[in-house]
Amino acid sequence: MASREVSGAAVKGLRAGFAGEVIMPGDPAYDAHRSVFNAMIDRRPAVIAGCANAEDVARAVRFAREHGLEVAVRGGGHGVAGRAVNDGGLVVDLRRMNAATVDAGSRTVRLGGGATMGDLDRAAGAHGLATTGGRVSTTGVGGYTLGGGSGWLERKYGLTCDNLEEVELVTAVGEPVRASATEHPELFWALHGGGGNFGVATSFTLRLHELPAFSFGLLVWPSEAGPEVVRAYRDFMAAAPDDVGGGLLYLTGPAEEFVPDRLVGRLTCACLLTYAGPLAVAREVIAPMLRLGHEGELLADMPYAEFQCLLDAPPGYRNYWSAEYLAELPDPAVQAFCTRAGDMVVPSPSQHLLLPQGGAVARGAADHPVPWRTAPWAVHPLGLWEDPADDARARRWARGLRDDMRPWSSGAVYLNFIGDEGGDRIVAGVGADNHRRLAAVKAAYDPDNVFRLNHNIAPAPAAV
């Protein structure tokens, strides 16, 4: 979209009474506020509305419509496609709205639309509580939850959307709406995986669970041990209790004390085992994985909120991600997964991930528009690298892994794990029948498709 000029008088009108900050090109803070997690994204919005409350959000949406500006919504800014910013439009920046208020009696937390996982985890953890959150602390709660919400605790507590009690949002005409099981129930259903298509979410209320202890193990092998380790991990997870989470991954051996020098900077195979309980118990549960001859080991009790920060990727890297959800993981699929790891950009923070589902994920509400919950496994090439010369190689690796896994695919996909991969993948992310139902909800709440910078579902009235 071509850059637009917005008159000084118009901006002055927006700023009048605006509780947050309105940022324009040329302002000292402009470049910092337009940057997102994926360093491949370089877009220049005409206006950045740093909102402090829901009324700011409503005013920003109305301003954008009055002046013909495309609307982008920014929470954490982690979406790999970079749709949290645009060229020549208006960005509704929610980062100031990051309060996290816990009601320990009802075991709920109310979160501002710009809160991150770190805000959620620290607030809940202070009361010995937690809920499923993203796998790094800097991910925004908003886009993550609206897309379904997959994380380390999902086998124990379900997807984040399974724990959603209420959402407050601003619609495309700048009006506040509260969605819950009893208010706007069809919209509330749509917010369990339908993404940011229906409005700007200004607050979320999530259900919390007791988590008095948390522990983990990170085991490291040379990459050539990968096929044996993956097969053992597959068999281990088939019988593992719901308290066990984590994943199997290939990564660059980090320069950490627990990693042997000969594996530092090399492609390695690692197994992350999380446990919703103390390490003393976890050791017994994960004993089959501890007997596989790993060369590096880190085992620890750790508050969940601190653990969530361990895998935070530093900003400034170029990013490309994709995913495939698997109906089964036979030996040929294991071999294909391991072989493709050799195409990763190494050294880099990239991760070649195999994630288990099952447990509370599979038992969750079948009605929600998250058809990928029934797959027992997901492969997730998560590419991060520095040199633009590696762009083609990183994309080829990610797409190649998807191609390799397609014979065992369930056909569904978690949209938060992918960028712009076309309309068919959006349908696969929510399910064909759900897609038609979501399009009708979209027609009711955003008939002009104002909120289209997302995995977009075009408005279409329900068939009579």
Side-chain angles (χ1 to χ4, degrees):
M1 183 174 180
S3 179
R4 288 182 178 270
E5 293 291 332
V6 183
S7 73
V11 174
K12 184 177 180 180
L14 176 61
R15 283 177 169 151
F18 200 83
E21 182 181 13
V22 178
I23 300 167
M24 304 287 293
D27 288 347
Y30 178 74
D31 284 337
H33 279 77
R34 71 182 181 89
S35 65
V36 291
F37 183 74
N38 186 355
M40 298 178 79
I41 307 301
D42 183 19
R43 296 182 182 139
R44 304 186 65 84
V47 182
I48 300 173
C51 301
N53 53 43
E55 177 54 33
D56 279 357
V57 173
R59 291 187 63 195
V61 170
R62 292 194 294 265
F63 179 89
R65 298 204 68 175
E66 289 166 6
H67 296 276
L69 299 173
E70 185 176 55
V71 176
V73 181
R74 176 174 187 150
H78 265 249
V80 69
R83 296 187 184 99
V85 289
N86 55 24
D87 279 319
L90 180 142
V91 174
V92 177
D93 189 334
L94 301 172
R95 284 177 290 177
R96 288 172 174 79
M97 300 170 61
N98 67 341
T101 304
V102 172
D103 184 331
S106 66
R107 292 186 188 172
T108 59
V109 59
R110 189 174 188 273
L111 300 151
T116 64
M117 293 303 150
D119 298 319
L120 164 60
D121 298 333
R122 286 189 293 270
H127 300 272
L129 301 170
T131 197
T132 303
R135 292 177 172 88
V136 295
S137 71
T138 52
T139 299
V141 169
Y144 164 84
T145 301
L146 296 174
S150 170
W152 304 125
L153 295 176
E154 65 188 11
R155 285 171 45 83
K156 179 74 170 176
Y157 301 132
L159 302 175
T160 307
C161 72
D162 296 337
N163 294 282
L164 187 59
E165 301 256 318
E166 181 180 284
V167 182
E168 293 180 355
L169 54 78
V170 170
T171 68
V173 293
E175 294 181 350
V177 168
R178 179 184 290 109
S180 68
T182 57
E183 298 179 87
H184 299 271
E186 187 70 358
L187 173 61
F188 189 56
W189 169 84
L191 299 176
H192 288 71
N197 277 284
F198 313 102
V200 183
T202 56
S203 81
F204 297 83
T205 300
L206 295 174
R207 188 164 54 254
L208 299 173
H209 308 268
E210 288 190 0
L211 187 67
F214 182 85
S215 56
F216 74 96
L218 182 59
L219 313 178
V220 182
W221 293 262
S223 61
E224 53 267 26
E228 177 188 356
V229 174
V230 176
R231 288 191 297 269
Y233 179 66
R234 174 197 62 193
D235 298 342
F236 166 74
M237 288 305 302
D242 295 353
D243 302 275
V244 176
L248 191 291
L249 63 158
Y250 283 86
L251 77 168
T252 301
E256 299 287 351
E257 186 175 334
F258 71 94
V259 178
D261 289 345
R262 79 180 195 92
L263 298 183
V264 173
R266 288 184 50 199
L267 182 66
T268 60
C269 178
C271 185
L272 174 63
L273 297 148
T274 64
Y275 189 73
L279 182 59
V281 179
R283 282 182 180 273
E284 298 179 9
V285 175
I286 67 174
M289 297 303 300
L290 296 174
R291 291 195 291 262
L292 293 178
H294 54 278
E295 296 189 18
E297 173 186 291
L298 177 61
L299 300 171
D301 285 300
M302 182 176 288
Y304 173 68
E306 292 184 23
F307 171 79
Q308 283 282 73
C309 301
L310 284 187
L311 298 180
D312 285 358
Y317 283 91
R318 305 171 77 80
N319 280 246
Y320 188 84
W321 317 338
S322 192
E324 201 69 43
Y325 279 68
L326 309 182
E328 57 179 341
L329 187 65
D331 287 353
V334 169
Q335 188 59 53
F337 173 81
C338 295
T339 299
R340 181 61 65 174
D343 289 344
M344 286 175 60
V345 175
V346 175
S348 80
S350 294
Q351 298 175 14
H352 187 86
L353 281 160
L354 175 68
L355 297 171
Q357 293 204 120
V361 178
R363 295 191 299 270
D367 181 55
H368 291 163
V370 283
W372 43 273
R373 73 156 73 240
T374 59
W377 293 98
V379 292
H380 180 31
L382 181 70
L384 300 94
W385 67 98
E386 292 183 281
D387 190 346
D390 287 324
D391 286 1
R393 177 182 170 189
R395 289 191 181 100
R396 185 170 60 249
W397 154 66
R399 293 168 180 167
L401 180 57
R402 271 201 60 213
D403 291 343
D404 293 344
M405 295 294 107
R406 198 163 287 127
W408 304 282
S409 174
S410 72
V413 65
Y414 178 35
L415 295 177
N416 283 358
F417 274 177
I418 70 172
D420 185 0
E421 296 186 2
D424 289 347
R425 290 281 270 176
I426 294 173
V427 175
V430 297
D433 290 341
N434 290 331
H435 190 271
R436 288 186 285 271
R437 185 176 169 186
L438 290 165
V441 179
K442 178 77 166 180
Y445 290 90
D446 184 15
D448 298 322
N449 206 12
V450 171
F451 303 114
R452 58 183 176 270
L453 293 183
N454 44 46
H455 289 295
N456 192 231
I457 297 169
V464 178

